[in-house]
Amino acid sequence: MNTQPLTHHMAMAASVKPSLRWDGVTPIDAHRAACTEALRDLLGMDTFTLCEPVFEITQEDTHRGHRHIHFTLQTEEGYFTHCDLLLPKEQEGKLPLCVCLQGHSKGAHISLGLPKYPGDEETIAGGDRDFCIRAVAEGFATLAIEQRAFGVCGGTQHGPSCERPAMTALLLGRTLIGERVWDVMRVLDAMETHFGDLITMEGSVLMGNSGGGTATYYTACLEHRFDGFMPSCALCTYRDSIVNIHHCTCNYVPRIARYFDMGDLAVMIAPKKLVVVSGKEDDIFPLFGVHEVYGEIARLYEAADAADHCALVEGEGGHRFYADDAWPVMKKLLRNK
């Protein structure tokens, strides 16, 4: 006799069949449109309203020999996000933009390789988490966006603080993931408006690890100005990751498993370039669940006549980014028109 609700839920999750899994018959464009409508509803995107994009550069300096511009932007009436733009000091012409989304950490300063709190040095060094520094070296103008409930946007010096924002968002008919997606969209507007002489969206990339990878993947479904997407240590079946293993509340989207598993969402990303990065020993996004998800991604990309526009990278280790493995694959895909 089972008396444990979680055990019951796990059994339900193991048997659920997503109603919007592609049937192999419906024209892919029609299926994409139906999925987009459903995902926007699930994330609560109808609760967002464009506002006056109040923009302010708050600081300019140099960091590791690069030009560093900090700015704030109002993305919703009464809410401002914080961003850090890193540019080569001797930049010539426009550079493709790489937007970096830090995972569950003490803040976006980790993406800049800029220690701020005790323990940050180890966090940065232990997993290629200084995304912006590497992306500049790869030839990009790079932007770190502080995700909601992280760092200066609601986190603490001890780490993120997602639970109350995530649960309150649900009360309001939206999701914290949806809020993070919205912020990326509005920051991208500001980048085109205020830095259009320095950046180009041709060859641009959105990337992130863990919670940043999750936000990257959902953003990829709804924001198509980027040419490439590189979610790391974030894609797995719901059953094998956020159902069977403890995760932050910000990962959960009400009712989504009735319609999608993570692989099914890729129909909204194809034919954009997609590099899925995983760790072979990742204990919270296990590789067997990653393989199942990527199998569906590959099927959808083939249906979209873009079979060579996606790739799976498996790093020799755990839950972290793998810059040396991932970047060559992304750059190769970006070269393939």
Side-chain angles (χ1 to χ4, degrees):
M1 178 186 295
N2 174 48
T3 60
Q4 301 303 309
L6 183 56
T7 301
H8 182 57
H9 292 157
M10 291 167 66
M12 292 176 67
S15 62
V16 68
K17 299 186 184 302
S19 64
L20 283 176
R21 174 152 295 167
W22 185 52
D23 59 12
V25 177
T26 303
I28 202 71
D29 288 342
H31 181 62
R32 182 182 295 114
C35 290
T36 300
E37 181 179 0
L39 182 63
R40 287 185 57 84
D41 178 59
L42 291 165
L43 294 180
M45 301 309 291
D46 64 333
T47 67
F48 295 90
T49 304
L50 289 171
C51 68
E52 179 66 26
V54 180
F55 170 89
E56 181 184 4
I57 293 177
T58 58
Q59 183 177 334
E60 290 193 60
D61 54 28
T62 58
H63 175 51
R64 295 198 188 180
H66 304 307
R67 184 182 176 193
H68 177 204
I69 303 171
H70 179 85
F71 67 87
T72 59
L73 177 72
Q74 181 175 242
T75 58
E76 287 192 89
E77 190 71 37
Y79 176 76
F80 289 77
T81 195
H82 291 236
C83 302
D84 288 271
L85 177 62
L86 208 60
L87 301 163
K89 192 171 184 180
E90 303 300 329
Q91 180 176 343
E92 296 182 6
K94 296 182 180 182
L95 292 176
L97 178 66
C98 179
V99 174
C100 305
L101 302 179
Q102 192 57 233
H104 282 75
S105 67
K106 297 175 186 176
H109 60 280
I110 300 295
S111 293
L112 296 164
L114 189 63
K116 186 176 179 180
Y117 300 116
D120 284 350
E121 293 89 347
E122 292 81 0
T123 298
I124 294 165
D128 294 338
R129 293 183 174 88
D130 50 350
F131 307 145
C132 290
I133 301 300
R134 180 59 180 261
V136 170
E138 295 290 344
F140 292 84
T142 65
L143 179 72
I145 301 177
E146 190 78 274
Q147 295 201 79
R148 299 199 196 196
F150 292 0
V152 297
C153 289
T156 74
Q157 65 176 336
H158 304 294
S161 184
C162 298
E163 183 175 3
R164 285 187 66 189
M167 301 309 289
T168 303
L170 299 183
L171 290 177
L172 298 172
R174 54 166 62 187
T175 59
L176 187 52
I177 289 177
E179 292 179 335
R180 291 169 178 168
V181 170
W182 177 263
D183 288 344
V184 174
M185 291 174 164
R186 303 289 70 83
V187 170
L188 202 55
D189 294 342
M191 289 299 298
E192 292 184 319
T193 298
H194 298 283
F195 300 103
D197 59 330
L198 298 173
I199 64 104
T200 175
M201 295 307 295
E202 184 175 352
S204 60
V205 173
L206 175 64
M207 65 160 295
N209 185 69
S210 192
T214 300
T216 294
Y217 192 63
Y218 282 102
T219 302
C221 296
L222 301 178
E223 173 53 75
H224 305 300
R225 283 175 284 183
F226 293 98
D227 279 347
F229 300 93
M230 192 157 52
S232 169
C233 291
L235 271 64
C236 188
T237 62
Y238 293 135
R239 175 191 67 243
D240 295 313
S241 55
I242 64 173
V243 172
N244 286 2
I245 300 169
H246 176 74
H247 279 268
C248 180
T249 51
C250 67
N251 285 276
Y252 299 86
V253 177
R255 300 181 295 127
I256 197 168
R258 294 172 56 184
Y259 302 94
F260 303 106
D261 207 331
M262 289 201 88
D264 303 310
L265 298 171
V267 70
M268 292 171 274
I269 305 173
K272 295 289 187 174
K273 312 302 171 58
L274 176 65
V275 176
V276 177
V277 183
S278 297
K280 291 182 179 179
E281 299 174 16
D282 191 334
D283 58 357
I284 58 175
F285 291 92
L287 196 60
F288 57 86
V290 177
H291 286 167
E292 183 175 331
V293 161
Y294 188 76
E296 186 61 23
I297 290 173
R299 185 173 83 105
L300 290 165
Y301 264 72
E302 183 175 4
D305 295 322
D308 59 347
H309 285 197
C310 63
L312 174 62
V313 172
E314 298 179 10
E316 297 288 342
H319 188 72
R320 49 161 291 181
F321 187 53
Y322 296 89
D324 289 342
D325 298 312
W327 270 114
V329 177
M330 172 54 76
K331 295 188 84 171
K332 180 180 178 181
L333 291 189
L334 288 172
R335 290 193 295 267
N336 296 335
K337 300 299 183 181

